[in-house]
Amino acid sequence: MSARRWVTAVSLTLVCPVALAQSRPAARIDWPTFLARQDLVWERLPTGWGESAFIGNGRLGATIDARDGALGWTINRTDVVHDQSRYPIGRVVLKTAGTARGGTARLTLWDAEASGTLTTDRGAVRWRSFTAARPSVIVIVLEGTGGENGVGLDWLPAEARPPRKVYRKDPFAPEDLHPPPVVTHATHEMTSVQSFIGGGAHAESIVSTARSFYVSIGEGTSDREALAEARAATREATRLGVARLEAAHRAWWHAYYPESFLTFPDARLEAYYWIQIYKLGSAMRADGPILDLNGPWFKATPWPGIWWNLNIQLTYSPLFRANRLDLAESLFRNLDRHRQALIDNVPERLRADAAAIGRSSGPDLVRPVDLATAQSDAAHEMGDLPWTLYYYWLFSRYQMDDRILRERVYPLLKRAIGNYLACLERGDDGRWHLPPTESPELATVPDANYDLALLTWGLETLIASAERLQLEDPLLPRWRDVLANLTLFPTDSSGLMVGRGRPWKESHRHYSHLLAIYPLHLITPDRPDARSLIEASLRTWERDAALFRGYSFTGGASMHALLGQGDTALARLDSYLDAPRYMQPNTFYAEAGPVIETPLSAATSIQDMLLQDWGGALRVFPAVPTAWTDAAFDRLRADGAFLVSAVRRDRRTAWVRIESLAGEPCRLVVPDWDSAVVRGHLGPAPTVTKGPAGDYMIELPKGASVVLAPDATTPLPDLRPVTLPVSGPNPFPMLKHGPGASQP
């Protein structure tokens, strides 16, 4: 459908022409002060992974906490993997003269640095620490006073045993009994080398210079190679020194945060959002590994790898609207790099046209899928690669980069959908049907809504992409036929079923059967019948929230935001944050073991309350809770390569600014506006017309921007942090945040 079809010939008044100053209302964001109110502050030393301060550079990281009477850094590196599994590495601990008595700590988001004090019966130690990216080292600076002038570090290596077997208490096979690490001590360096049976090794180098320490992890095919990499990093860090490492580290982070901004009057949730933005920058870099379920902060877990049936998708979901697309390359470059593995995951007879990945894998992406010989539910999962590619497609759409679409997304999506096409069956009703496939964590059923939704989205996207790229793909007739004749989503009176013949039986944490609603937006609430289906499906799924996990609440929040139900969306997020069984005080999250995706998906849900972009429209403040009288955001990115900014004051949208990065047609919906006027623009005067549904079509050339407001006279308020309530409980249990807490 043409984007112009919605438009009527109602032009808006051009109130204010072209001055640059008028094209962008003033932004008054004092970033150090704003982020200081989100800092995590400990009035006692954190104990354990779920309370720890955490630092990282997208590959190497540490959790900092006190255990067994000693403050320490549990270090790990995301891409140190043996036999498709992560392993624990070890712990650097303070070596003090006295016995620890107490201490404080602070995680300063703006500088991405942890700091604090440790008091002993002999004196005190002030410490601070960050993870430099180049070279990749953890920097620890210590200052001892009193009897702690000689404070130093010691190394406690971890035992190398398969974490999944450790968690399940399974017996170890002979190939699991890796030799103990070899630890050496010299005047200014400690090293540790862990070799694995069957090849491969990791090594650690800890170098001291005056009051500064540099910690690195190397990996390689041999002990020598791993140790050489570790020592090269600490040697370079020693040459550069703390001051230069710190300057480069802070320069990266101070450029990272202002890529986008949002604020709203909920101290706990606002802090939670910004801690996730910090977490993303600490756990991902464009040239780094895929962020698995642990990232740089490994803990004993039954899931020491990458899971593809929800986890990886939720992990990467907040990056796009947050305007941090470079971090998403850590996933997509690795999909490109391991494309042959994805092809080899399907049976040989399909490899000319298909690709797939099973439920879980290591960083090499090896996990075969063969529907014909599947012996387990996991082997029936066909939709995991297509679901991942939905976000790869968003990556191209949020930039409108046709080169990425043509060379990277389209060829892999074509193969992922080819895997479905190879198993389609024509039914007696003349429609195409899917054989039994696994709707993740629910059931193996024919015509699973999970797979029908992904197949429908994939076919629509391939057809639209071929048209955009002007490709005469020989498969176009096949795609169009399947799309036109694909069986309908199975439904009953309770909404979307799991699949054909399988109604929804009881509440369950996974919403795989609802993918057509969220995030794919194939079923949207702009038609009464579709809205009723969404509402019925949600009522049924949420019937017994006691069976939910954290990501159930975040997914539900986003679906209620889709319906414009801001108060319900907020209630779902509050339910998630109020669940101490899973939610950790430092915003980490664990079920049977640590999983990183759920807190990050909560950031996506917050974004969904402020900006949505489904149905070919930008929807500004579509689901703002009643309590949020004021809110603002700046430079959130949207489908079509738009940067969107907006301010809401006294429960009304005061202005919206849209910058076009690609010159695409723009359709805008602001639920609380009856009219709109142009208050400023940059570039040629924009063409803005009002459609019959109260939407606005805006023609913006590439690089141009426009500011809209509901009238011609109301002052445009500055873009600045909203005022938070002065009193109230601490946002996170046992922790404080914000400048009101004393700096350690």
Side-chain angles (χ1 to χ4, degrees), residues 154-206:
D154 204 355
W155 169 245
L156 304 176
E159 184 179 40
R161 295 291 180 266
R164 197 167 174 86
K165 288 188 176 181
V166 171
Y167 177 83
R168 293 178 168 182
K169 298 182 171 58
D170 291 341
F172 297 128
E175 62 268 21
D176 299 327
L177 302 177
H178 305 292
V182 177
V183 180
T184 61
H185 296 263
T187 305
H188 296 293
E189 183 184 27
M190 289 180 285
T191 64
S192 179
V193 179
Q194 174 67 62
S195 60
F196 291 106
I197 296 172
H202 66 76
E204 292 68 55
S205 171
I206 305 166

Side-chain angles (χ1 to χ4, degrees), residues 414-428:
K414 183 176 174 179
R415 284 182 165 277
I417 298 305
N419 200 37
Y420 279 131
L421 297 180
C423 67
L424 282 175
E425 303 164 346
R426 180 79 80 170
D428 294 339

